[in-house]
Amino acid sequence: MPSLEKVMQQIEAGFYVVPEIQRPFVWRNTQVRDLVASIYDNDPIGGIVYWEIPSKVMGDENLKDLFRPLADDLPLENGRYMIIDGQQRLTSLLLVKRGEITTGGRKRRIKLYFNPINETFELGSRRIQRDPFWFNVTEVINSADIYELIESQIQRFGDESLRSNPRVRGNLAKLHNTFKTYEVHLIPAELRYTDDFLSTFERISRIFVNLNSRGTRIKMPDLALALLTARVRKDLGESFRKKFEEILRKAEEMNYSIDETVLIRLYSAISTGTTRFNDAKKVLEKKSGGEINNFLIETEKSIELAIKLLGDLGIKSDRFLQSRYLLVPIAYWLHRDVISKERMISDEMKNNVIKWFILASQEKRYTGRLETDLLSDIDKINQGKGLKGLIDNLRVRELPLSALDEDYENRHLILLLLLYQKLGTRDWNIEERPNIRKISEIGPNELQVHHIFPKEFLERRGYDEKWDNFGNITIISKKANDAIKYKDPRKYLNELKSVSSELLEKHFIPMNENLWSVENYEKFLEERIKLIAKAIEKEFGIKVLRTEL
């Protein structure tokens, strides 16, 4: 088995490339840290499965877009080995060695530190970076002389004890040497190659799926994406993954940053009528590349219409969603009942979308029983029961008043955004007079959560509870939030009222000015929650169960 030092040399020479079927580098820095700790302890990190690429394949200009380097600056033309399993581990090692890489156009950094006294690894924090006994791992493994590294640390921190402690010198040397001598288990894939490279490529995708479907390292939807990419490439010579990622980029431009797993579940539903991977896989394996691509076009139409619909209702960004999977049944319903039937979205449909979204968010749907609930909701749509079927599927049909008397979460922000859109609620940036914008007219990245009684204002007065209570939360622009900062509510609410009482009423601020005093904070929360509850019933037809707060 080759040493890690030799493998790292090959990586930086560009010898290892990744097939397009695989997802990009997604490991979190905590996973990278644990990988390094395993290497230091000489624990196994699993085998790296690769296929030696025939030279005529890498020399074929028509096939080059089937591969990508581990990092964007590595020479693709030097590719010799296709990584079938192990991309995340090899890219992590490159990240640690360099401290920073760019992959897929995205920059990744890591500041990983090693304490030679207790032999532990931690990600950089202010505390760790100020402690002389924590050494930067990138500096250690690239150091030409451990003694010079220690001296440099002494000059930086002024701690002479580093020089005389044998554990410092010994374990730093151990880490440095381990990254040279650790044996990497490389496993060659024995594949018979013919001139039909795309058939070989499809087989490689199946090996990748089989290797990963036995564990939890890669989610099932990612494996589906690998299979679809290989099939379309074989049949049409086009990149399914590239088109798939373009849809994700378009969604991000619409302020919805959704991940692959959300979109592949929607694709699965549209193409097969189910979100269960194993069932969908059996159906999709029988489809041609053309059919697979056509389903992707329908998926794109559906997700874009879903995002536009939610934006029209007041939810203009995924950062306000309780779960991003809430997009899936809405987009699938649009595909089945609107796009395919060439229907318009009626006001009744919009009202049902709002009702379902509020109740599903309050239920925290898809944050627990994802597979079961999502499959059940897709089945309701398949049965032709549409939005009413989705509502009937919910376990929460009414809201207890106590659900509004909690620290706020995204499910509470959704309520406010939907209400503000319906009521035409305006921002609190009075510098825009006389044409103060509505909340719905402000870009989602400009919006901020505002504490009506500012946290610092409450803290200075000894009130250390219920800062984040939903009754103390509204949504306004960053400019308005910055202007208010730590002001006494009595002062700035009166200022807003002098401009127009509507500015307060449509944010559900109780008009009794006595409640704007910190002494009456609890009563303020109680009254504002009741005003919000009343609006929910009136505007959305959702019953709020009246119980005393």
Side-chain angles (χ1 to χ4, degrees):
M1 290 187 290
S3 68
L4 180 53
E5 181 179 35
K6 181 178 180 181
V7 171
M8 290 304 302
Q9 289 171 351
Q10 293 175 332
I11 289 174
E12 295 196 281
F15 286 9
Y16 293 92
V17 296
V18 183
E20 68 163 345
I21 60 171
Q22 292 191 29
R23 60 183 177 167
F25 179 57
V26 296
W27 265 23
R28 301 184 304 276
N29 281 355
T30 52
Q31 292 173 286
V32 179
R33 175 200 63 198
D34 294 343
L35 176 70
V36 172
S38 294
I39 290 172
Y40 178 79
D41 292 333
N42 204 35
D43 292 337
I45 61 170
I48 306 297
V49 182
Y50 72 96
W51 178 57
E52 190 166 352
I53 308 169
S55 57
K56 62 180 178 180
V57 170
M58 287 306 297
D60 189 335
E61 290 294 324
N62 295 321
L63 298 177
K64 277 198 172 181
D65 65 337
L66 293 176
F67 312 100
R68 66 175 186 272
L70 286 175
D72 292 356
D73 65 333
L74 296 179
L76 184 62
E77 63 272 13
N78 288 355
R80 296 184 185 179
Y81 311 114
M82 178 195 289
I83 304 169
I84 299 176
D85 188 51
Q87 175 206 168
Q88 303 297 322
R89 283 165 285 164
L90 292 185
T91 310
S92 295
L93 292 171
L94 181 63
L95 175 60
V96 171
K97 187 169 190 300
R98 292 185 170 184
E100 178 183 300
I101 61 172
T102 299
T103 174
R106 294 187 176 183
K107 190 165 287 187
R108 282 289 304 271
R109 297 183 179 91
I110 190 168
K111 289 185 177 180
L112 182 61
Y113 287 81
F114 172 66
N115 188 320
I117 303 299
N118 54 28
E119 298 180 90
T120 56
F121 294 86
E122 290 294 343
L123 297 174
S125 65
R126 287 185 179 180
R127 174 185 62 81
I128 285 174
Q129 293 179 38
R130 292 172 178 170
D131 188 330
F133 284 87
W134 286 95
F135 288 75
N136 185 295
V137 172
T138 300
E139 293 178 3
V140 175
I141 62 179
N142 289 313
S143 175
D145 189 322
I146 292 299
Y147 288 96
E148 288 185 5
L149 181 67
I150 295 172
E151 289 301 319
S152 175
Q153 193 86 336
I154 291 171
Q155 290 179 15
R156 190 182 307 169
F157 292 98
D159 191 332
E160 299 284 342
S161 68
L162 291 170
R163 188 182 295 114
S164 58
N165 193 316
R167 289 186 64 81
V168 171
R169 185 174 62 256
N171 288 330
L172 286 176
K174 177 183 174 182
L175 174 60
H176 178 79
N177 293 332
T178 298
F179 260 75
K180 290 180 176 294
T181 60
Y182 183 87
E183 292 186 338
V184 181
H185 190 196
L186 295 180
I187 306 172
E190 301 296 336
L191 294 174
R192 183 177 298 174
Y193 172 68
T194 66
D195 288 337
D196 182 10
F197 175 72
L198 292 179
S199 293
T200 305
F201 194 67
E202 187 174 31
R203 187 181 171 198
I204 287 169
S205 76
R206 295 186 181 280
I207 294 172
F208 170 74
V209 170
N210 290 335
L211 282 170
N212 287 285
S213 61
R214 301 189 188 104
T216 58
R217 283 177 293 147
I218 295 183
K219 298 175 183 177
M220 285 298 182
D222 292 316
L223 304 182
L225 190 53
L227 289 174
L228 295 170
T229 298
R231 173 57 59 85
V232 171
R233 176 63 76 175
K234 180 184 177 185
D235 289 0
L236 304 180
E238 299 175 1
S239 175
F240 181 91
R241 176 176 280 279
K242 184 177 180 180
K243 291 181 180 179
F244 188 89
E245 290 174 350
E246 284 174 1
I247 297 175
L248 293 176
R249 280 193 291 272
K250 285 182 181 178
E252 192 165 357
E253 290 170 2
M254 299 171 74
N255 295 306
Y256 272 75
S257 181
I258 56 178
D259 60 30
E260 290 183 348
T261 57
V262 172
L263 191 61
I264 198 67
R265 287 186 189 278
L266 174 60
Y267 176 87
S268 177
I270 288 174
S271 59
T272 69
T274 182
T275 53
R276 184 178 283 130
F277 172 76
N278 286 331
D279 293 341
K281 178 172 172 284
K282 294 172 185 176
V283 175
L284 288 169
E285 283 179 332
K286 299 175 183 178
K287 302 293 183 183
S288 68
E291 290 174 305
I292 288 170
N293 255 3
N294 288 337
F295 289 134
L296 189 58
I297 293 171
E298 294 304 311
T299 301
E300 181 176 15
K301 292 178 185 176
S302 301
I303 197 66
E304 287 188 2
L305 185 57
I307 291 172
K308 288 176 182 176
L309 172 59
L310 293 180
D312 290 343
L313 297 177
I315 309 170
K316 299 181 183 295
S317 170
D318 68 287
R319 73 184 179 96
F320 299 109
L321 299 183
Q322 188 72 24
S323 167
R324 287 173 173 80
Y325 287 101
L326 290 168
L327 282 166
V328 175
I330 294 298
Y332 185 56
W333 161 74
L334 287 168
H335 165 73
R336 286 286 301 255
D337 293 0
V338 177
I339 297 173
S340 298
K341 297 178 181 179
E342 298 184 335
R343 298 172 66 188
M344 65 169 275
I345 302 174
S346 66
D347 289 340
E348 181 184 2
M349 289 176 178
K350 289 181 181 179
N351 289 336
N352 281 330
V353 169
I354 290 172
K355 186 173 184 179
W356 180 80
F357 227 90
I358 290 172
L359 294 174
S361 297
Q362 290 297 320
E363 183 185 295
K364 300 185 180 180
R365 199 162 183 83
Y366 311 136
T367 57
R369 309 187 325 173
L370 171 62
E371 297 289 348
T372 303
D373 287 344
L374 193 55
L375 186 63
S376 176
D377 288 341
I378 295 301
D379 284 344
K380 284 288 185 183
I381 297 170
N382 287 336
Q383 293 164 19
K385 296 182 180 179
L387 292 170
K388 291 182 178 178
L390 291 180
I391 294 171
D392 289 341
N393 250 7
L394 294 170
R395 293 179 285 278
V396 172
R397 307 285 182 83
E398 301 166 329
L399 292 181
L401 196 60
S402 59
L404 307 180
D405 184 31
E406 302 173 334
D407 283 359
Y408 80 92
E409 297 181 42
N410 277 5
R411 57 196 170 97
H412 298 105
L413 301 182
I414 288 291
L415 271 173
L416 289 182
L417 288 170
L418 291 169
L419 284 169
Y420 291 173
Q421 175 77 17
K422 194 79 178 284
L423 298 172
T425 302
R426 295 186 184 276
D427 187 29
W428 282 354
N429 181 13
I430 57 177
E431 295 299 318
E432 293 184 341
R433 287 171 293 182
N435 298 311
I436 299 176
R437 287 181 296 171
K438 295 177 180 178
I439 297 296
S440 60
E441 296 170 341
I442 299 173
N445 294 328
E446 293 181 62
L447 293 176
Q448 290 188 347
V449 172
H450 169 69
H451 292 76
I452 299 165
F453 282 74
K455 287 184 178 182
E456 292 79 2
F457 178 83
L458 291 170
E459 185 179 35
R460 286 201 301 266
R461 286 154 182 80
Y463 207 105
D464 57 359
E465 295 180 356
K466 290 196 171 183
W467 287 344
D468 286 336
N469 186 276
F470 178 45
N472 191 35
I473 295 301
T474 192
I475 299 173
I476 58 177
S477 69
K478 182 180 185 301
K479 285 186 177 180
N481 201 21
D482 288 345
I484 294 170
K485 289 188 178 177
Y486 318 129
K487 287 182 181 178
D488 186 329
R490 289 175 299 182
K491 180 178 179 181
Y492 81 82
L493 291 178
N494 262 308
E495 189 176 3
L496 290 168
K497 183 181 178 182
S498 69
V499 176
S500 173
S501 59
E502 176 191 317
L503 292 177
L504 302 184
E505 291 166 347
K506 291 190 177 182
H507 282 265
F508 312 108
I509 303 298
M511 298 307 289
N512 181 350
E513 294 183 21
N514 291 328
L515 298 181
W516 303 350
S517 298
V518 69
E519 294 79 11
N520 296 319
Y521 179 57
E522 291 276 4
K523 187 65 176 176
F524 171 87
L525 296 178
E526 181 179 336
E527 291 304 312
R528 185 163 184 265
I529 287 169
K530 287 179 180 178
L531 290 173
I532 294 172
K534 184 178 179 180
I536 292 169
E537 291 186 326
K538 179 182 177 182
E539 302 298 334
F540 304 139
I542 297 173
K543 186 175 181 181
V544 180
L545 300 176
R546 301 290 172 172
T547 55
E548 289 300 319
L549 293 177

